[in-house]
Amino acid sequence: MAFRTIIEPFRIQSVAPLRMTAPEQRRSAIEAAGYNLFGLHSDDVMIDLLTDSGTGAMSRDQWAAIQHGDESYAGSPSFEIFRDAVQGLFPFKHVIPTHQGRAAEKIIFTVLGGKGRTIPSNTHFDTTRANIEYTGAEAVDLVIAEGRDPANLHPFKGNMDVAALDAFLDRNAGRVPVVFVTITNNSGGGQPVSLANLRATHAVCRKHGVPLFLAACRFAENAWFIREREPGQHDRAVADIVRDMAALADGMTMSAKKDPMGNIGGWLALNDDALAEQCRNLLILTEGFPTYGGLAGRDLEALAQGLKEVVDHDYLRYRIRSTAYLGEALARSGIPVVQPIGGHAVYLDARALLPQIAPLQYPGQALAVALYEVGGVRGCEIGTVMFGRHPDGSEQPAALDLVRLAIPRRTYTQSHIDYVIEVCQEVAAAAGTLRGYRIVAEPRQLRHFTARFAPLA
Ligand code: F0G
């Protein structure tokens, strides 16, 4: 390429205001929220990196597709447009729309889960795990060892440990209704899974007669990493790599709030007729008729258009590069981040940055609050606050204490990100002065959403 600068492959056609706030305002806002970033009013946030889920900008052509939506209860042509777009990339026989990813999870695990069953994955996302466990089944993570080491530079840290999966399926014969692979591996740092690893996982599943499903929210980012990093893939179209991934699976769940560029949506897709019928029957109980499944016709059309845009190489080059731009700048400043930089987010290692704060005093929370107070940047603690409380009531440190800075799609410019880099540098320079937190109130489950904290003296 002739120039070093990779530009945003779009221009801005519609803007939303970003309210400037001062540190005093932010200190009182976060205090009022009990030092929980989920409790903030989003008007009080300047750069919102809480999640990349449903927070991206839709394109002009997606908004035009919204106008084209047909809101018929049954048999809407918008469903056909949606189904054809999904099958163009994921040629599964049955495509079942849902209002978001976890609704698809709820349906498939209601059918396949239950007491005595066990469901392995590279790493289950937390809603996936919760939906499995809710049925009484067990959720097991079998990512490769490199995937658990934040500093390891393996190019496909989301890969399944195929030998461990093979042994697991031997040990648990008859108890495993499905194997899942999450692409990219969100809980493991947004790390990709290689095509070779998917092929090997597919072969082990076939050997044991167990179906393989993809949890495919960030499929296009995963395919771009395959194109960039996997031998023999460099000259291929991302859409073809996606179809290769789909061909190795028997079905998928999707949160269309990520790579399909929607503000809402999801789907379940699969080949097995009898299983699809069971799923559609459950869909009608909670989501709606199978040609709209919890979405409006206009949403289905916006997603169909988003699926065309997300496999564009200029978009993906910009997307993956701009996430790496943030991560590499932080790493160069000496701020510890999970390596290599993932597709949708940069993960700061709060435990390494704040060694004076014990895990049970929540270093991730302390870092996330400081980023907000100093610069109005909202990230998300992924550590002991999120995972430390166990069903038996005990509390233990999580494996890692991270803060995720997730990048909404097509939403922030490079100067927004340069600002985030400065804020992180400022916080890191004063890292030694940060103190931990204690929890003053927490609910019985999923405490990170609503717990209230107080700073330690
Ligand atoms: N699977 C993965 C890998 C996810 O990252 C998510 C959501 C879901 C399933 C659930 O989808 O939100 O549409 O119901 N992840 C968001 C996040 C919430 O911030 O990472 P959903």
Side-chain angles (χ1 to χ4, degrees), residues 40-73:
L40 290 170
H41 195 296
S42 67
D43 273 352
D44 291 327
V45 176
M46 282 169 58
I47 308 285
D48 203 348
L49 307 182
L50 189 64
T51 178
D52 65 322
S53 181
T55 51
M58 290 214 296
S59 67
R60 173 186 68 184
D61 293 343
Q62 284 183 286
W63 286 108
I66 291 254
Q67 279 294 331
H68 194 259
D70 179 295
E71 305 306 340
S72 305
Y73 188 91

PDB file of all heavy atoms in Angstrom, residues 40-73:
ATOM      1  N   LEU A  40     -24.277   4.897  35.424  1.00  0.00           N
ATOM      2  CA  LEU A  40     -24.165   6.267  34.906  1.00  0.00           C
ATOM      3  C   LEU A  40     -25.234   6.559  33.866  1.00  0.00           C
ATOM      4  O   LEU A  40     -25.653   5.671  33.116  1.00  0.00           O
ATOM      5  CB  LEU A  40     -22.796   6.460  34.235  1.00  0.00           C
ATOM      6  CG  LEU A  40     -21.577   6.492  35.141  1.00  0.00           C
ATOM      7  CD1 LEU A  40     -20.306   6.438  34.275  1.00  0.00           C
ATOM      8  CD2 LEU A  40     -21.586   7.751  35.999  1.00  0.00           C
ATOM      9  N   HIS A  41     -25.615   7.821  33.793  1.00  0.00           N
ATOM     10  CA  HIS A  41     -26.414   8.297  32.670  1.00  0.00           C
ATOM     11  C   HIS A  41     -25.457   8.450  31.494  1.00  0.00           C
ATOM     12  O   HIS A  41     -24.394   9.053  31.646  1.00  0.00           O
ATOM     13  CB  HIS A  41     -27.041   9.643  33.049  1.00  0.00           C
ATOM     14  CG  HIS A  41     -28.153  10.029  32.131  1.00  0.00           C
ATOM     15  ND1 HIS A  41     -27.955  10.279  30.788  1.00  0.00           N
ATOM     16  CD2 HIS A  41     -29.476  10.177  32.342  1.00  0.00           C
ATOM     17  CE1 HIS A  41     -29.109  10.574  30.229  1.00  0.00           C
ATOM     18  NE2 HIS A  41     -30.054  10.509  31.153  1.00  0.00           N
ATOM     19  N   SER A  42     -25.826   7.956  30.313  1.00  0.00           N
ATOM     20  CA  SER A  42     -24.843   7.965  29.215  1.00  0.00           C
ATOM     21  C   SER A  42     -24.516   9.385  28.746  1.00  0.00           C
ATOM     22  O   SER A  42     -23.470   9.608  28.141  1.00  0.00           O
ATOM     23  CB  SER A  42     -25.292   7.085  28.057  1.00  0.00           C
ATOM     24  OG  SER A  42     -26.420   7.627  27.439  1.00  0.00           O
ATOM     25  N   ASP A  43     -25.373  10.362  29.060  1.00  0.00           N
ATOM     26  CA  ASP A  43     -25.026  11.761  28.760  1.00  0.00           C
ATOM     27  C   ASP A  43     -23.803  12.221  29.553  1.00  0.00           C
ATOM     28  O   ASP A  43     -23.152  13.203  29.188  1.00  0.00           O
ATOM     29  CB  ASP A  43     -26.183  12.694  29.156  1.00  0.00           C
ATOM     30  CG  ASP A  43     -27.186  12.831  28.023  1.00  0.00           C
ATOM     31  OD1 ASP A  43     -26.891  12.333  26.916  1.00  0.00           O
ATOM     32  OD2 ASP A  43     -28.250  13.424  28.259  1.00  0.00           O
ATOM     33  N   ASP A  44     -23.527  11.547  30.661  1.00  0.00           N
ATOM     34  CA  ASP A  44     -22.379  11.907  31.484  1.00  0.00           C
ATOM     35  C   ASP A  44     -21.103  11.176  31.059  1.00  0.00           C
ATOM     36  O   ASP A  44     -20.075  11.267  31.729  1.00  0.00           O
ATOM     37  CB  ASP A  44     -22.664  11.606  32.965  1.00  0.00           C
ATOM     38  CG  ASP A  44     -23.735  12.543  33.533  1.00  0.00           C
ATOM     39  OD1 ASP A  44     -23.780  13.711  33.089  1.00  0.00           O
ATOM     40  OD2 ASP A  44     -24.522  12.104  34.397  1.00  0.00           O
ATOM     41  N   VAL A  45     -21.200  10.390  29.964  1.00  0.00           N
ATOM     42  CA  VAL A  45     -20.035   9.656  29.455  1.00  0.00           C
ATOM     43  C   VAL A  45     -19.574  10.355  28.179  1.00  0.00           C
ATOM     44  O   VAL A  45     -20.398  10.686  27.328  1.00  0.00           O
ATOM     45  CB  VAL A  45     -20.414   8.199  29.136  1.00  0.00           C
ATOM     46  CG1 VAL A  45     -19.236   7.455  28.526  1.00  0.00           C
ATOM     47  CG2 VAL A  45     -20.899   7.486  30.401  1.00  0.00           C
ATOM     48  N   MET A  46     -18.282  10.567  28.029  1.00  0.00           N
ATOM     49  CA  MET A  46     -17.793  11.210  26.803  1.00  0.00           C
ATOM     50  C   MET A  46     -17.458  10.184  25.727  1.00  0.00           C
ATOM     51  O   MET A  46     -17.926  10.285  24.616  1.00  0.00           O
ATOM     52  CB  MET A  46     -16.605  12.125  27.127  1.00  0.00           C
ATOM     53  CG  MET A  46     -17.112  13.439  27.741  1.00  0.00           C
ATOM     54  SD  MET A  46     -15.840  14.478  28.458  1.00  0.00           S
ATOM     55  CE  MET A  46     -14.759  14.749  27.092  1.00  0.00           C
ATOM     56  N   ILE A  47     -16.649   9.209  26.047  1.00  0.00           N
ATOM     57  CA  ILE A  47     -16.317   8.163  25.074  1.00  0.00           C
ATOM     58  C   ILE A  47     -16.787   6.843  25.696  1.00  0.00           C
ATOM     59  O   ILE A  47     -16.250   6.399  26.709  1.00  0.00           O
ATOM     60  CB  ILE A  47     -14.795   8.085  24.802  1.00  0.00           C
ATOM     61  CG1 ILE A  47     -14.213   9.465  24.438  1.00  0.00           C
ATOM     62  CG2 ILE A  47     -14.514   7.049  23.717  1.00  0.00           C
ATOM     63  CD1 ILE A  47     -14.507   9.970  23.062  1.00  0.00           C
ATOM     64  N   ASP A  48     -17.798   6.236  25.082  1.00  0.00           N
ATOM     65  CA  ASP A  48     -18.428   5.066  25.692  1.00  0.00           C
ATOM     66  C   ASP A  48     -17.893   3.771  25.087  1.00  0.00           C
ATOM     67  O   ASP A  48     -18.279   3.380  23.986  1.00  0.00           O
ATOM     68  CB  ASP A  48     -19.949   5.158  25.536  1.00  0.00           C
ATOM     69  CG  ASP A  48     -20.672   4.333  26.592  1.00  0.00           C
ATOM     70  OD1 ASP A  48     -19.997   3.534  27.278  1.00  0.00           O
ATOM     71  OD2 ASP A  48     -21.892   4.487  26.728  1.00  0.00           O
ATOM     72  N   LEU A  49     -17.003   3.113  25.827  1.00  0.00           N
ATOM     73  CA  LEU A  49     -16.384   1.876  25.348  1.00  0.00           C
ATOM     74  C   LEU A  49     -16.844   0.701  26.220  1.00  0.00           C
ATOM     75  O   LEU A  49     -16.131  -0.291  26.385  1.00  0.00           O
ATOM     76  CB  LEU A  49     -14.852   2.021  25.360  1.00  0.00           C
ATOM     77  CG  LEU A  49     -14.298   3.258  24.614  1.00  0.00           C
ATOM     78  CD1 LEU A  49     -12.768   3.259  24.644  1.00  0.00           C
ATOM     79  CD2 LEU A  49     -14.789   3.327  23.163  1.00  0.00           C
ATOM     80  N   LEU A  50     -18.054   0.828  26.773  1.00  0.00           N
ATOM     81  CA  LEU A  50     -18.610  -0.230  27.620  1.00  0.00           C
ATOM     82  C   LEU A  50     -18.787  -1.515  26.818  1.00  0.00           C
ATOM     83  O   LEU A  50     -18.532  -2.602  27.301  1.00  0.00           O
ATOM     84  CB  LEU A  50     -19.964   0.240  28.172  1.00  0.00           C
ATOM     85  CG  LEU A  50     -20.630  -0.609  29.233  1.00  0.00           C
ATOM     86  CD1 LEU A  50     -19.791  -0.665  30.503  1.00  0.00           C
ATOM     87  CD2 LEU A  50     -22.021  -0.063  29.547  1.00  0.00           C
ATOM     88  N   THR A  51     -19.255  -1.395  25.580  1.00  0.00           N
ATOM     89  CA  THR A  51     -19.499  -2.572  24.751  1.00  0.00           C
ATOM     90  C   THR A  51     -19.508  -2.182  23.283  1.00  0.00           C
ATOM     91  O   THR A  51     -19.732  -1.012  22.943  1.00  0.00           O
ATOM     92  CB  THR A  51     -20.844  -3.239  25.123  1.00  0.00           C
ATOM     93  OG1 THR A  51     -21.063  -4.359  24.242  1.00  0.00           O
ATOM     94  CG2 THR A  51     -22.021  -2.287  25.015  1.00  0.00           C
ATOM     95  N   ASP A  52     -19.280  -3.167  22.417  1.00  0.00           N
ATOM     96  CA  ASP A  52     -19.429  -2.974  20.969  1.00  0.00           C
ATOM     97  C   ASP A  52     -20.755  -3.581  20.510  1.00  0.00           C
ATOM     98  O   ASP A  52     -20.944  -3.855  19.348  1.00  0.00           O
ATOM     99  CB  ASP A  52     -18.277  -3.660  20.230  1.00  0.00           C
ATOM    100  CG  ASP A  52     -18.310  -5.175  20.407  1.00  0.00           C
ATOM    101  OD1 ASP A  52     -18.643  -5.650  21.514  1.00  0.00           O
ATOM    102  OD2 ASP A  52     -18.025  -5.906  19.440  1.00  0.00           O
ATOM    103  N   SER A  53     -21.665  -3.816  21.455  1.00  0.00           N
ATOM    104  CA  SER A  53     -22.884  -4.567  21.156  1.00  0.00           C
ATOM    105  C   SER A  53     -24.066  -3.631  20.955  1.00  0.00           C
ATOM    106  O   SER A  53     -24.557  -3.027  21.915  1.00  0.00           O
ATOM    107  CB  SER A  53     -23.172  -5.522  22.316  1.00  0.00           C
ATOM    108  OG  SER A  53     -24.322  -6.280  22.047  1.00  0.00           O
ATOM    109  N   GLY A  54     -24.505  -3.481  19.715  1.00  0.00           N
ATOM    110  CA  GLY A  54     -25.671  -2.642  19.424  1.00  0.00           C
ATOM    111  C   GLY A  54     -25.365  -1.163  19.459  1.00  0.00           C
ATOM    112  O   GLY A  54     -26.260  -0.340  19.309  1.00  0.00           O
ATOM    113  N   THR A  55     -24.090  -0.796  19.639  1.00  0.00           N
ATOM    114  CA  THR A  55     -23.718   0.602  19.841  1.00  0.00           C
ATOM    115  C   THR A  55     -23.053   1.210  18.604  1.00  0.00           C
ATOM    116  O   THR A  55     -22.603   2.345  18.647  1.00  0.00           O
ATOM    117  CB  THR A  55     -22.757   0.724  21.036  1.00  0.00           C
ATOM    118  OG1 THR A  55     -21.691  -0.207  20.841  1.00  0.00           O
ATOM    119  CG2 THR A  55     -23.453   0.400  22.342  1.00  0.00           C
ATOM    120  N   GLY A  56     -22.971   0.448  17.512  1.00  0.00           N
ATOM    121  CA  GLY A  56     -22.315   0.950  16.307  1.00  0.00           C
ATOM    122  C   GLY A  56     -23.226   1.880  15.522  1.00  0.00           C
ATOM    123  O   GLY A  56     -24.403   2.047  15.828  1.00  0.00           O
ATOM    124  N   ALA A  57     -22.635   2.511  14.490  1.00  0.00           N
ATOM    125  CA  ALA A  57     -23.399   3.401  13.613  1.00  0.00           C
ATOM    126  C   ALA A  57     -23.908   2.606  12.414  1.00  0.00           C
ATOM    127  O   ALA A  57     -23.136   1.891  11.770  1.00  0.00           O
ATOM    128  CB  ALA A  57     -22.511   4.539  13.137  1.00  0.00           C
ATOM    129  N   MET A  58     -25.190   2.742  12.116  1.00  0.00           N
ATOM    130  CA  MET A  58     -25.712   2.127  10.899  1.00  0.00           C
ATOM    131  C   MET A  58     -25.377   3.029   9.704  1.00  0.00           C
ATOM    132  O   MET A  58     -25.214   4.236   9.831  1.00  0.00           O
ATOM    133  CB  MET A  58     -27.207   1.907  11.008  1.00  0.00           C
ATOM    134  CG  MET A  58     -27.545   0.796  12.014  1.00  0.00           C
ATOM    135  SD  MET A  58     -28.978  -0.164  11.551  1.00  0.00           S
ATOM    136  CE  MET A  58     -30.260   1.067  11.618  1.00  0.00           C
ATOM    137  N   SER A  59     -25.294   2.421   8.536  1.00  0.00           N
ATOM    138  CA  SER A  59     -24.949   3.165   7.323  1.00  0.00           C
ATOM    139  C   SER A  59     -26.197   3.812   6.719  1.00  0.00           C
ATOM    140  O   SER A  59     -27.329   3.458   7.055  1.00  0.00           O
ATOM    141  CB  SER A  59     -24.349   2.206   6.298  1.00  0.00           C
ATOM    142  OG  SER A  59     -25.353   1.294   5.868  1.00  0.00           O
ATOM    143  N   ARG A  60     -25.961   4.725   5.796  1.00  0.00           N
ATOM    144  CA  ARG A  60     -27.049   5.314   4.995  1.00  0.00           C
ATOM    145  C   ARG A  60     -27.914   4.201   4.383  1.00  0.00           C
ATOM    146  O   ARG A  60     -29.139   4.254   4.421  1.00  0.00           O
ATOM    147  CB  ARG A  60     -26.380   6.149   3.892  1.00  0.00           C
ATOM    148  CG  ARG A  60     -27.305   6.709   2.866  1.00  0.00           C
ATOM    149  CD  ARG A  60     -26.499   7.365   1.768  1.00  0.00           C
ATOM    150  NE  ARG A  60     -25.751   6.372   0.982  1.00  0.00           N
ATOM    151  CZ  ARG A  60     -24.906   6.676   0.010  1.00  0.00           C
ATOM    152  NH1 ARG A  60     -24.664   7.927  -0.291  1.00  0.00           N
ATOM    153  NH2 ARG A  60     -24.274   5.738  -0.664  1.00  0.00           N
ATOM    154  N   ASP A  61     -27.245   3.178   3.834  1.00  0.00           N
ATOM    155  CA  ASP A  61     -28.009   2.133   3.150  1.00  0.00           C
ATOM    156  C   ASP A  61     -28.791   1.265   4.140  1.00  0.00           C
ATOM    157  O   ASP A  61     -29.844   0.730   3.793  1.00  0.00           O
ATOM    158  CB  ASP A  61     -27.064   1.269   2.302  1.00  0.00           C
ATOM    159  CG  ASP A  61     -26.472   2.069   1.138  1.00  0.00           C
ATOM    160  OD1 ASP A  61     -27.031   3.141   0.810  1.00  0.00           O
ATOM    161  OD2 ASP A  61     -25.450   1.636   0.579  1.00  0.00           O
ATOM    162  N   GLN A  62     -28.296   1.156   5.365  1.00  0.00           N
ATOM    163  CA  GLN A  62     -29.100   0.437   6.373  1.00  0.00           C
ATOM    164  C   GLN A  62     -30.345   1.243   6.744  1.00  0.00           C
ATOM    165  O   GLN A  62     -31.423   0.683   6.896  1.00  0.00           O
ATOM    166  CB  GLN A  62     -28.265   0.145   7.627  1.00  0.00           C
ATOM    167  CG  GLN A  62     -27.276  -0.997   7.430  1.00  0.00           C
ATOM    168  CD  GLN A  62     -26.521  -1.287   8.715  1.00  0.00           C
ATOM    169  OE1 GLN A  62     -25.647  -0.515   9.103  1.00  0.00           O
ATOM    170  NE2 GLN A  62     -26.857  -2.376   9.377  1.00  0.00           N
ATOM    171  N   TRP A  63     -30.171   2.556   6.891  1.00  0.00           N
ATOM    172  CA  TRP A  63     -31.351   3.381   7.214  1.00  0.00           C
ATOM    173  C   TRP A  63     -32.346   3.354   6.061  1.00  0.00           C
ATOM    174  O   TRP A  63     -33.567   3.368   6.272  1.00  0.00           O
ATOM    175  CB  TRP A  63     -30.939   4.817   7.570  1.00  0.00           C
ATOM    176  CG  TRP A  63     -30.316   4.872   8.943  1.00  0.00           C
ATOM    177  CD1 TRP A  63     -29.001   5.062   9.235  1.00  0.00           C
ATOM    178  CD2 TRP A  63     -30.983   4.683  10.196  1.00  0.00           C
ATOM    179  NE1 TRP A  63     -28.794   5.000  10.599  1.00  0.00           N
ATOM    180  CE2 TRP A  63     -30.001   4.771  11.206  1.00  0.00           C
ATOM    181  CE3 TRP A  63     -32.306   4.439  10.556  1.00  0.00           C
ATOM    182  CZ2 TRP A  63     -30.299   4.639  12.567  1.00  0.00           C
ATOM    183  CZ3 TRP A  63     -32.613   4.299  11.910  1.00  0.00           C
ATOM    184  CH2 TRP A  63     -31.619   4.400  12.892  1.00  0.00           C
ATOM    185  N   ALA A  64     -31.843   3.307   4.829  1.00  0.00           N
ATOM    186  CA  ALA A  64     -32.754   3.199   3.680  1.00  0.00           C
ATOM    187  C   ALA A  64     -33.498   1.863   3.738  1.00  0.00           C
ATOM    188  O   ALA A  64     -34.705   1.794   3.474  1.00  0.00           O
ATOM    189  CB  ALA A  64     -31.962   3.334   2.381  1.00  0.00           C
ATOM    190  N   ALA A  65     -32.784   0.799   4.137  1.00  0.00           N
ATOM    191  CA  ALA A  65     -33.406  -0.526   4.241  1.00  0.00           C
ATOM    192  C   ALA A  65     -34.506  -0.526   5.301  1.00  0.00           C
ATOM    193  O   ALA A  65     -35.517  -1.230   5.165  1.00  0.00           O
ATOM    194  CB  ALA A  65     -32.337  -1.576   4.553  1.00  0.00           C
ATOM    195  N   ILE A  66     -34.317   0.273   6.352  1.00  0.00           N
ATOM    196  CA  ILE A  66     -35.333   0.392   7.411  1.00  0.00           C
ATOM    197  C   ILE A  66     -36.671   0.844   6.784  1.00  0.00           C
ATOM    198  O   ILE A  66     -37.739   0.327   7.107  1.00  0.00           O
ATOM    199  CB  ILE A  66     -34.851   1.415   8.470  1.00  0.00           C
ATOM    200  CG1 ILE A  66     -33.671   0.828   9.232  1.00  0.00           C
ATOM    201  CG2 ILE A  66     -35.984   1.907   9.350  1.00  0.00           C
ATOM    202  CD1 ILE A  66     -33.929   0.363  10.625  1.00  0.00           C
ATOM    203  N   GLN A  67     -36.595   1.799   5.864  1.00  0.00           N
ATOM    204  CA  GLN A  67     -37.809   2.293   5.208  1.00  0.00           C
ATOM    205  C   GLN A  67     -38.485   1.196   4.391  1.00  0.00           C
ATOM    206  O   GLN A  67     -39.682   1.231   4.153  1.00  0.00           O
ATOM    207  CB  GLN A  67     -37.458   3.461   4.268  1.00  0.00           C
ATOM    208  CG  GLN A  67     -37.309   4.780   4.963  1.00  0.00           C
ATOM    209  CD  GLN A  67     -38.621   5.280   5.549  1.00  0.00           C
ATOM    210  OE1 GLN A  67     -39.697   4.988   5.044  1.00  0.00           O
ATOM    211  NE2 GLN A  67     -38.529   6.015   6.632  1.00  0.00           N
ATOM    212  N   HIS A  68     -37.695   0.238   3.930  1.00  0.00           N
ATOM    213  CA  HIS A  68     -38.211  -0.816   3.062  1.00  0.00           C
ATOM    214  C   HIS A  68     -38.879  -1.939   3.864  1.00  0.00           C
ATOM    215  O   HIS A  68     -39.482  -2.841   3.297  1.00  0.00           O
ATOM    216  CB  HIS A  68     -37.050  -1.361   2.219  1.00  0.00           C
ATOM    217  CG  HIS A  68     -37.455  -2.197   1.062  1.00  0.00           C
ATOM    218  ND1 HIS A  68     -37.408  -3.570   1.086  1.00  0.00           N
ATOM    219  CD2 HIS A  68     -37.935  -1.857  -0.151  1.00  0.00           C
ATOM    220  CE1 HIS A  68     -37.824  -4.039  -0.078  1.00  0.00           C
ATOM    221  NE2 HIS A  68     -38.158  -3.034  -0.844  1.00  0.00           N
ATOM    222  N   GLY A  69     -38.771  -1.875   5.195  1.00  0.00           N
ATOM    223  CA  GLY A  69     -39.294  -2.956   6.028  1.00  0.00           C
ATOM    224  C   GLY A  69     -40.779  -3.201   5.820  1.00  0.00           C
ATOM    225  O   GLY A  69     -41.561  -2.268   5.692  1.00  0.00           O
ATOM    226  N   ASP A  70     -41.140  -4.466   5.794  1.00  0.00           N
ATOM    227  CA  ASP A  70     -42.554  -4.854   5.663  1.00  0.00           C
ATOM    228  C   ASP A  70     -42.966  -5.471   6.989  1.00  0.00           C
ATOM    229  O   ASP A  70     -42.365  -6.438   7.441  1.00  0.00           O
ATOM    230  CB  ASP A  70     -42.699  -5.857   4.527  1.00  0.00           C
ATOM    231  CG  ASP A  70     -44.144  -6.308   4.368  1.00  0.00           C
ATOM    232  OD1 ASP A  70     -44.691  -6.965   5.299  1.00  0.00           O
ATOM    233  OD2 ASP A  70     -44.736  -6.011   3.321  1.00  0.00           O
ATOM    234  N   GLU A  71     -43.993  -4.906   7.615  1.00  0.00           N
ATOM    235  CA  GLU A  71     -44.335  -5.306   8.980  1.00  0.00           C
ATOM    236  C   GLU A  71     -45.463  -6.336   9.053  1.00  0.00           C
ATOM    237  O   GLU A  71     -46.171  -6.417  10.056  1.00  0.00           O
ATOM    238  CB  GLU A  71     -44.646  -4.064   9.825  1.00  0.00           C
ATOM    239  CG  GLU A  71     -43.522  -3.012   9.846  1.00  0.00           C
ATOM    240  CD  GLU A  71     -42.142  -3.545  10.278  1.00  0.00           C
ATOM    241  OE1 GLU A  71     -42.072  -4.601  10.920  1.00  0.00           O
ATOM    242  OE2 GLU A  71     -41.137  -2.898   9.919  1.00  0.00           O
ATOM    243  N   SER A  72     -45.631  -7.120   8.020  1.00  0.00           N
ATOM    244  CA  SER A  72     -46.638  -8.189   8.076  1.00  0.00           C
ATOM    245  C   SER A  72     -46.306  -9.171   9.189  1.00  0.00           C
ATOM    246  O   SER A  72     -45.143  -9.526   9.379  1.00  0.00           O
ATOM    247  CB  SER A  72     -46.665  -8.962   6.757  1.00  0.00           C
ATOM    248  OG  SER A  72     -46.875  -8.079   5.687  1.00  0.00           O
ATOM    249  N   TYR A  73     -47.336  -9.614   9.899  1.00  0.00           N
ATOM    250  CA  TYR A  73     -47.104 -10.550  11.010  1.00  0.00           C
ATOM    251  C   TYR A  73     -46.503 -11.860  10.498  1.00  0.00           C
ATOM    252  O   TYR A  73     -45.600 -12.419  11.115  1.00  0.00           O
ATOM    253  CB  TYR A  73     -48.424 -10.823  11.740  1.00  0.00           C
ATOM    254  CG  TYR A  73     -48.238 -11.627  13.006  1.00  0.00           C
ATOM    255  CD1 TYR A  73     -48.028 -10.993  14.224  1.00  0.00           C
ATOM    256  CD2 TYR A  73     -48.219 -13.018  12.968  1.00  0.00           C
ATOM    257  CE1 TYR A  73     -47.824 -11.720  15.373  1.00  0.00           C
ATOM    258  CE2 TYR A  73     -48.015 -13.753  14.116  1.00  0.00           C
ATOM    259  CZ  TYR A  73     -47.817 -13.107  15.321  1.00  0.00           C
ATOM    260  OH  TYR A  73     -47.608 -13.831  16.459  1.00  0.00           O
TER     261      TYR A  73
END
